[in-house]
Amino acid sequence: MVDLKSQYNKIKAEVDEGIRQVIDSTAFIKGPKVKEFEQHLAHYLGIKHVISCGNGTDALQVAMMSLGLKPGDEVITTSFTFIATAEVIALLGLTPVVVDVNPDTYNIDPDSIRKAITANTKAIVPVHLFGQCAPMEEIMNIAKEYNLFVIEDNAQAIGADYIFDDGSKKKSGTIGNIGCTSFFPSKNLGAFGDGGALFTDDDKIAEQARAVVNHGMKIRYYHDYIGVNSRLDSIQAAILDVKLKHLDEYAFARNSAAEFYDNAFANHPNITTPKRYSKSSHVFHQYTLKLKNANRISLQEHLKGLGIPMMIYYPVPLHMQKAYKSERYQKGDFPVTEYLSESVFSLPMHTELSVEQLEYITKGVLSFFK
Ligand SMILES: *Cc1c(COP(=O)(O)O)cnc(C)c1O
């Protein structure tokens, strides 16, 4: 599904030099490289504060802790996402309220958010799924109307632009109160291990988040809050700092691969290619299609026989996961998510796909229907 080795080979000299510098300095934790990377990422995103942390799941948890959300508070998120989004809500004793998604963009549906709001609702967590922004302008309007926080789960869309009605643009993750991202190796901006970050324009939230990731302390050994220990290490920061310079070029390569796939599967009776949302650029974390009138597992087996990986993101909606079953929800409550979980499939998507590979993959898929 990804080819991290070929990507590394192209930037090897610079990455190796960055790692060597950190080893020479022995400033492995909280070293200058971490600060530098945070500043470079803030500049790239056009935001005031970037606070790095241990992974994307921690970023979401720290975001909710920094906003002072309390047990019993309801947090609205999408039923079609990776589990981390809901996991931290539940871990903090908050109540996850899930809502359905748009069948074309796979992203959270603003009308469903509106219907799910109660007196206890405190925050909305839209996920920019597969590399494309959720409808942020509508979501921000709802948040303003009901005085809710917005935490953007930007783990899959770093570098994407959201385009407002007036034509102005903002980077995904910089529109709500806090944006969160993951530097898991296969993400669009991936480290050589775990990493994550939060971003915000709000000085108070930034100060709070910086304390929370560091055991709740602003002054060493004085703990003002209950915090966590969540850090990006200097070696990962050095690697990410090199890769950040290539992020836009990586998005371009992903888009080229997506266009190849789009053309190969255009007007196919059994396949629907992913729809581009007019208010967002797409950075194609995943290339996810919908299958009609065909057996998905047979397709996966067929591709496996040809040495082509195919993944299903995500096979089980949140409300049907064993750990998250609640009296609130039943099968049938989120028809779009349930339909998608039964029909989507994702093909290899990364920065190093050659035309030969793309031809092999698309021919392999098409041969299933012959
Ligand atoms: C990857 C991912 C996360 C979690 O990131 P980790 O760094 O693996 O903790 C959260 N949300 C979404 C949507 C993700 O894809």
Side-chain angles (χ1 to χ4, degrees), residues 264-265 268 270-271 291 294 298-308 345 347 358-370:
F265 304 130
H268 193 281
N270 303 99
I271 298 174
L291 190 65
S298 307
L299 172 62
Q300 193 169 34
E301 290 290 311
H302 172 80
L303 294 177
K304 197 175 169 191
L306 296 169
I308 300 168
F345 68 102
L347 291 175
L358 289 164
E359 267 167 3
Y360 185 74
I361 296 165
T362 50
K363 277 187 187 141
V365 173
L366 293 171
S367 69
F368 174 70
F369 300 98
K370 293 223 170 95

Side-chain angles (χ1 to χ4, degrees), residues 54-60 80-85 87 127-130 153-156 180-187 193-196 285 314:
N55 57 65
T57 309
D58 280 0
L60 288 162
F80 193 56
T81 180
F82 178 58
I83 200 67
T85 323
E87 186 174 59
V127 179
H128 304 310
L129 202 71
F130 302 150
D153 183 341
N154 195 32
Q156 300 190 1
C180 297
T181 203
S182 162
F183 305 125
F184 185 80
S186 63
K187 298 283 157 95
D194 274 314
H285 176 58
Y314 297 93

Side-chain angles (χ1 to χ4, degrees), residues 21-231:
Q21 280 176 15
V22 174
I23 295 171
D24 269 357
S25 75
T26 70
F28 296 119
I29 298 289
K30 287 190 170 292
K33 269 287 170 198
V34 177
K35 247 215 159 71
E36 265 174 55
F37 169 64
E38 286 180 350
Q39 282 163 359
H40 292 157
L41 182 58
H43 179 76
Y44 172 85
L45 293 169
I47 201 155
K48 228 162 144 186
H49 307 280
V50 168
I51 299 113
S52 60
C53 63
N55 57 65
T57 309
D58 280 0
L60 288 162
Q61 179 176 336
V62 170
M64 288 174 208
M65 291 171 78
S66 303
L67 293 174
L69 301 185
K70 303 243 158 41
D73 289 349
E74 292 178 6
V75 179
I76 297 176
T77 192
T78 155
S79 46
F80 193 56
T81 180
F82 178 58
I83 200 67
T85 323
E87 186 174 59
V88 298
I89 299 172
L91 265 179
L92 292 172
L94 313 171
T95 306
V97 174
V98 296
V99 303
D100 217 343
V101 298
N102 178 297
D104 297 320
T105 63
Y106 317 133
N107 272 322
I108 195 163
D109 172 47
D111 291 333
S112 305
I113 295 177
R114 228 171 240 289
K115 285 182 198 135
I117 291 171
T118 72
N120 294 324
T121 308
K122 289 285 155 40
I124 308 169
V125 185
V127 179
H128 304 310
L129 202 71
F130 302 150
Q132 196 162 234
C133 293
M136 287 307 294
E137 198 155 8
E138 286 97 318
I139 292 169
M140 294 312 291
N141 286 338
I142 295 171
K144 214 178 273 166
E145 194 179 322
Y146 292 93
N147 198 23
L148 308 174
F149 293 116
V150 175
I151 301 167
E152 298 174 66
D153 183 341
N154 195 32
Q156 300 190 1
I158 195 155
D161 288 310
Y162 185 82
I163 305 145
F164 290 84
D165 281 342
D166 66 4
S168 64
K169 285 183 189 176
K170 270 191 165 191
K171 286 283 175 205
S172 62
T174 68
I175 301 159
N177 302 87
I178 306 181
C180 297
T181 203
S182 162
F183 305 125
F184 185 80
S186 63
K187 298 283 157 95
N188 288 36
L189 180 58
F192 290 3
D194 274 314
L198 302 80
F199 5 106
T200 184
D201 266 324
D202 186 312
D203 297 344
K204 263 222 169 82
I205 292 174
E207 190 183 280
Q208 193 91 353
R210 260 198 208 288
V212 172
V213 294
N214 190 25
H215 299 292
M217 65 185 176
K218 285 177 189 161
I219 302 164
R220 190 173 281 203
Y221 307 129
Y222 291 79
H223 304 275
D224 297 345
Y225 320 99
I226 295 176
V228 296
N229 169 27
S230 186
R231 300 183 278 240

